Amino acid sequence: LADGLALFFRSDLLRTFHLEDPRSGDVARHLAPGDPSLGLRARVLLRDRWAMSLQASARAPLARSGEVQEVVRDRAPYPVVGGLRRGAGVWHLQGMWNIGAAFERVFLGAALGYQWRGEGFEDRLLWNATLGATLSPRVGARLSLAGAHSLGFGSAPRASTPSGLGNGASWTTASLSADLRVAEGWYLGAALETALLG
C-alpha cells in the first residue's frame, strides 16, 4: 500500500481430510474451504541485514464447524475419543511481531503473536522460527518450527479433534520446504510438514 505498509490475504483454498475407521478399515474423505484471513503488516525496522514488522489480521469462519465424523481409538473396544472438525467456526483476531535477518546465502526469521478467538474459545500464543538458505540462483529451502498454544481460559467446551481446529487445541509442527524460481517473481514450492506435539 505504501513504503513499509502491506495488505495481505491468506487462505487454504481447499482443505482435505482423510480419516480411517479402524473398525472397518474404510477411509472417509472430507473436503472444506479454508478460512481466509485479511491483514496489515507495517515495517518498523529495516537496518543493514535486519528487518522487523508488526501485523494484525482477522480470519473469517467459512468452513463448517460441526463434527463430521467420529474419531475412535485404533484398538478394540474402539472407544470414541473425539470428532473430526473441518473448521473452527469462530472469528480469529491476531497480532504478530516478526523479526528477521538476511545474510549472503542464509536467512533467519522468528515471530511471536497472540490470537483472540470468538464465542468463548480459548485464546492462543503463536510462534514460529525459520532457517532458510539459497541453494542456487533458482532454488531455496527452509526449515521451520511453529506452534499454537492454548492459554487455558475460555467459556466454550473443549473439542478433541485430529484437525487441530477445535477449542483448546495446541500443537507444534516442523516443516521442510523448497522453492524453485520458474520466472521473475514467480516460484513453485513444495513442503513436507509433520506434527511434533498436539
Side-chain angles (χ1 to χ4, degrees):
L1 300 177
D3 185 34
L5 182 65
L7 176 71
F8 66 86
F9 172 81
R10 180 178 299 139
S11 182
D12 301 330
L13 297 178
L14 185 68
R15 294 175 178 155
T16 64
F17 301 95
H18 306 269
L19 186 61
E20 181 179 4
D21 185 338
R23 297 168 293 194
S24 63
D26 294 336
V27 176
R29 292 166 179 81
H30 303 275
L31 301 176
D35 290 335
S37 62
L38 185 66
L40 283 173
R41 180 179 300 122
R43 184 179 67 225
V44 295
L45 172 72
L46 182 60
R47 181 174 301 151
D48 299 326
R49 299 180 181 275
W50 293 89
M52 187 186 310
S53 68
L54 298 173
Q55 71 184 48
S57 62
R59 181 182 301 161
L62 290 189
R64 181 176 150 197
S65 62
E67 293 183 359
V68 295
Q69 183 180 346
E70 286 184 339
V71 178
V72 298
R73 194 165 302 284
D74 62 355
R75 60 180 72 89
Y78 306 112
V80 175
V81 295
L84 177 65
R85 293 173 181 262
R86 299 182 300 181
V90 300
W91 283 87
H92 295 71
L93 302 177
Q94 66 187 48
M96 296 286 289
W97 168 77
N98 307 292
I99 188 167
F103 302 92
E104 186 174 342
R105 295 180 63 103
V106 174
F107 68 88
L108 306 169
L112 184 63
Y114 187 88
Q115 182 181 69
W116 172 88
R117 307 174 86 196
E119 298 185 27
F121 274 39
E122 298 174 10
D123 296 352
R124 295 195 293 194
L125 178 70
L126 309 175
W127 64 272
N128 67 61
T130 300
L131 170 64
T134 301
L135 305 178
S136 76
R138 296 182 58 205
V139 178
R142 290 183 306 280
L143 176 63
S144 298
L145 297 174
H149 304 282
S150 184
L151 297 176
F153 48 86
S155 58
R158 284 186 160 210
S160 179
T161 177
S163 66
L165 297 171
N167 185 33
S170 295
W171 44 263
T172 302
T173 64
S175 66
L176 179 63
S177 58
D179 296 309
L180 173 66
R181 183 166 56 91
V182 293
E184 191 61 40
W186 291 89
Y187 293 83
L188 181 64
L192 176 64
E193 187 169 11
T194 186
L196 300 178
L197 298 170

